[in-house]
Amino acid sequence: MVRVITYGTFDLLHEGHYRLLQRAKQLGDYLIVGVTSEEYDQARGKLNVIDSLMTRIENVKKTGFADEIIVEESQGQKFRDIKKYNIDIFTVGSDWMGQFDYLKEYCEVIYLDRTKNISSTMLRTQKASIQRIGIIGTGRIANRFMLEAALVSGVNTQSVYNPHIKSAQIFANRWGIDAYEDLEQFYESLDIVYIASPHETHYAYIKQALERGKHVLCEKPMCLFVGQSEELFELARKNNLVLFEGIKTAYCPCFTKLLGIACGGTIGAIKDVEACFTKLEDDCNRELKDTKYGGSFTELGSYCLLPILKIYGHDYEDIQFETVRNASGIDIYTKAYLRYPNGLATAKCGLGVKSEGKLLISGTKGYITAEAPWWKTNYFEVHRENPEDVERFSERFLGDGLRYEISDLLSMINGDRKKDFKLTRGDSVTMAGIMEKFLRSQGRV
Ligand code: C2G
């Protein structure tokens, strides 16, 4: 008798899960299915699981493929189960390719092809549907997005578009999704578009997607012109769609906590915010080659402007830029000075100059510091006049952090609009206005 085991969350059970269980059963005579407990999903950083453990077990039972169902409660349990249940084959979907090779010492490990397309037919009966995501762009961030989206329940990334079809195909093969050459067919394949293409292409893609009834998650800076930003948000509102700017820091739990404390009066009235983010890039990278829309401020400015706008709001009185430029005239280092009626702020960004990445918020009773990488906030300190009076705060920041914005986006699509306080329409529009002022100050537009 061949004994097979597989594990999963099986949230909002869909045909990808169904086909996986069906093929797992066909691998042997007796199939054990491990369903993850809520605690274990939290510990491994899986977000947004909707169905309870009981519902998920019930749904797996209903497929009729499992001979036995167990609960997976902790890391290391797979190894123990393989021994305990005398397992011959461990199997899991190919999105986990290579991750469970360490079990090969104890049994056979088989990665079954992941189901690429989740259609809506099976999902219509469910209370929350799986949102199908398609990606535009195939750069570094798109690769990170694939890993992070896999840890958010309720989404299935299934298509990619790049005007250079070769790049789309390489990306699609790597991640087991479909590559599209035709934009219309691509839009038909999805519910949410994730846009990770060069900055200046965002506007046209967002507009197309919104006109076709698709929700949009767009990498920062979403827009480089205030008029475009306003137009797109208006279009999204009219079509009842979610338009979401992906500045990951805004959605990370520790950053939200930091803002809560900063704005809660602990350090008195805030009078200065200094935010610095530098990341050395090679001269031949897109960020430093594009002499019109590239450079330090368009690339990193959104991160530094975020705490400034969240603390002081949108009505700054004045903004000035100072830049260090390379031979092609592009800013390799930029300082933006903002003056508000009640305080000052500086945003400092560099792709060709390295500085200490830091967020420093100064108030009339104390200050808050978060060290680099504060844009992936997991720790900050509150200091007061007495040097010994230091409060320390920390919170987990999982993986690359994109899972938080994907999870918030889903909550908004599913009707929980409250969460857009983390990055509002006004925040995004103001940032687009600042990007435009910057480009004008450099004579680039
Ligand atoms: N799956 C699939 N096709 C999809 C989606 C999922 O074949 N379109 C597979 C996954 O690869 C996995 C199973 O269905 O084998 C369950 O998927 P999830 O519920 O997302 O669980 P997961 O997070 O993959 O848990 O210990 C937990 C396991 O390691 C995997």
Side-chain angles (χ1 to χ4, degrees):
M1 174 143 125
V2 177
R3 297 168 68 85
V4 182
I5 199 161
T6 190
Y7 297 85
T9 306
F10 303 105
D11 188 33
L12 305 171
L13 195 101
H14 56 66
E15 65 226 69
H17 299 139
Y18 185 89
R19 292 198 56 242
L20 187 285
L21 293 172
Q22 186 177 39
R23 286 171 295 157
K25 172 70 180 169
Q26 285 163 1
L27 289 174
D29 308 297
Y30 191 83
L31 175 66
I32 301 179
V33 180
V35 180
T36 54
S37 69
E38 274 130 29
E39 293 74 23
Y40 180 47
D41 273 332
Q42 261 171 26
R44 72 188 182 117
K46 184 137 182 169
L47 301 183
N48 201 47
V49 175
I50 291 174
D51 289 335
S52 68
L53 176 59
M54 285 317 291
T55 307
R56 291 181 286 119
I57 290 177
E58 253 334 286
N59 286 342
V60 169
K61 202 184 269 171
K62 276 192 216 146
T63 65
F65 298 124
D67 295 291
E68 190 174 340
I69 298 176
I70 59 171
V71 177
E72 185 181 27
E73 292 180 280
S74 62
Q75 200 118 40
Q77 186 180 323
K78 290 187 178 76
F79 159 78
R80 290 196 299 277
D81 288 344
I82 286 168
K83 296 260 174 215
K84 181 168 157 194
Y85 296 102
N86 241 328
I87 296 300
D88 302 292
I89 300 174
F90 166 89
T91 187
V92 70
S94 56
D95 39 339
W96 291 95
M97 188 61 83
Q99 305 264 349
F100 294 107
D101 287 358
Y102 67 93
L103 295 173
K104 281 183 180 164
E105 262 188 61
Y106 314 101
C107 67
E108 196 178 338
V109 173
I110 298 179
Y111 298 100
L112 291 169
D113 277 347
R114 182 180 172 278
T115 303
K116 282 186 185 172
N117 299 309
I118 306 289
S119 71
S120 48
T121 42
M122 183 167 173
L123 308 171
R124 236 173 262 146
T125 52
Q126 313 225 352
K127 56 177 189 254
S129 60
I130 308 282
Q131 297 288 328
R132 301 164 305 163
I133 303 186
I135 303 186
I136 298 182
T138 52
R140 282 171 291 174
I141 186 81
N143 281 288
R144 277 185 239 144
F145 182 87
M146 289 302 299
L147 292 169
E148 291 282 319
L151 285 155
V152 181
S153 190
V155 296
N156 189 59
T157 311
Q158 52 192 49
S159 49
V160 62
Y161 170 82
N162 186 320
H164 310 285
I165 181 68
K166 268 252 160 62
S167 307
Q169 274 157 352
I170 293 170
F171 187 90
N173 289 342
R174 171 161 185 212
W175 295 104
I177 61 175
D178 286 325
Y180 285 84
E181 198 167 9
D182 182 296
L183 250 183
E184 289 304 331
Q185 285 173 4
F186 167 74
Y187 285 125
E188 271 166 38
S189 75
L190 51 86
D191 306 302
I192 302 171
V193 193
Y194 171 57
I195 301 174
S197 52
H199 312 324
E200 71 281 9
T201 63
H202 292 174
Y203 168 75
Y205 285 132
I206 297 173
K207 196 167 170 189
Q208 284 169 359
L210 293 174
E211 282 168 347
R212 284 158 185 74
K214 310 299 176 182
H215 301 290
V216 176
L217 167 60
C218 182
E219 264 309 316
K220 48 85 208 157
M222 189 173 92
C223 288
L224 298 167
F225 299 94
V226 70
Q228 292 185 349
S229 179
E230 274 162 354
E231 177 195 335
L232 294 175
F233 275 108
E234 203 37 39
L235 184 58
R237 193 194 57 78
K238 268 201 216 131
N239 293 358
N240 203 21
L241 294 164
V242 176
L243 171 58
F244 211 76
E245 182 166 9
I247 304 177
K248 65 174 180 247
T249 315
Y251 309 97
C252 99
C254 197
F255 184 74
T256 311
K257 190 187 239 181
L258 182 153
L259 285 181
I261 287 177
C263 300
T266 314
I267 56 166
I270 297 170
K271 294 295 171 193
D272 196 17
V273 180
E274 294 168 88
C276 173
F277 186 166
T278 65
K279 183 176 88 178
L280 291 181
E281 287 287 352
D282 215 74
D283 273 355
C284 57
N285 278 0
R286 171 193 55 82
E287 292 87 344
L288 283 174
K289 260 182 22 199
D290 176 358
T291 50
K292 192 157 186 194
Y293 299 113
S296 306
F297 194 70
T298 51
E299 186 61 25
L300 301 174
S302 313
Y303 290 113
C304 297
L305 291 172
L306 176 71
I308 298 173
L309 301 195
K310 294 313 289 182
I311 287 171
Y312 289 129
H314 308 143
D315 301 324
Y316 56 87
E317 291 175 337
D318 185 43
I319 185 161
Q320 300 290 335
F321 303 96
E322 275 182 322
T323 57
V324 176
R325 304 190 214 185
N326 67 9
S328 7
I330 201 159
D331 62 309
I332 55 165
Y333 187 62
T334 291
K335 280 174 153 181
Y337 302 96
L338 291 94
R339 202 185 60 237
Y340 279 86
N342 295 314
L344 308 172
T346 318
K348 205 164 92 171
C349 316
L351 292 174
V353 172
K354 192 70 200 162
S355 185
E356 187 188 4
K358 194 168 188 156
L359 173 62
L360 174 58
I361 304 168
S362 312
T364 50
K365 293 184 182 155
Y367 63 91
I368 295 176
T369 52
E371 304 293 331
W374 63 265
W375 47 93
K376 298 183 187 181
T377 328
N378 64 6
Y379 177 78
F380 63 93
E381 295 179 355
V382 177
H383 294 252
R384 297 191 181 77
E385 183 58 25
N386 175 357
E388 277 156 34
D389 184 3
V390 182
E391 276 183 282
R392 297 176 172 84
F393 296 87
S394 60
E395 190 87 54
R396 275 203 318 170
F397 180 89
L398 296 165
D400 202 52
L402 295 171
R403 69 188 74 176
Y404 301 112
E405 68 189 39
I406 303 170
S407 174
D408 273 17
L409 169 71
L410 263 189
S411 307
M412 279 178 71
I413 290 174
N414 292 330
D416 177 8
R417 297 266 160 175
K418 288 190 285 293
K419 293 199 172 168
D420 72 351
F421 73 88
K422 292 181 191 167
L423 190 70
T424 62
R425 169 179 174 158
D427 295 333
S428 284
V429 171
T430 306
M431 282 198 202
I434 293 176
M435 289 294 161
E436 180 171 347
K437 283 200 173 107
F438 172 74
L439 292 175
R440 293 195 189 288
S441 77
Q442 302 299 294
R444 297 204 213 157
V445 292

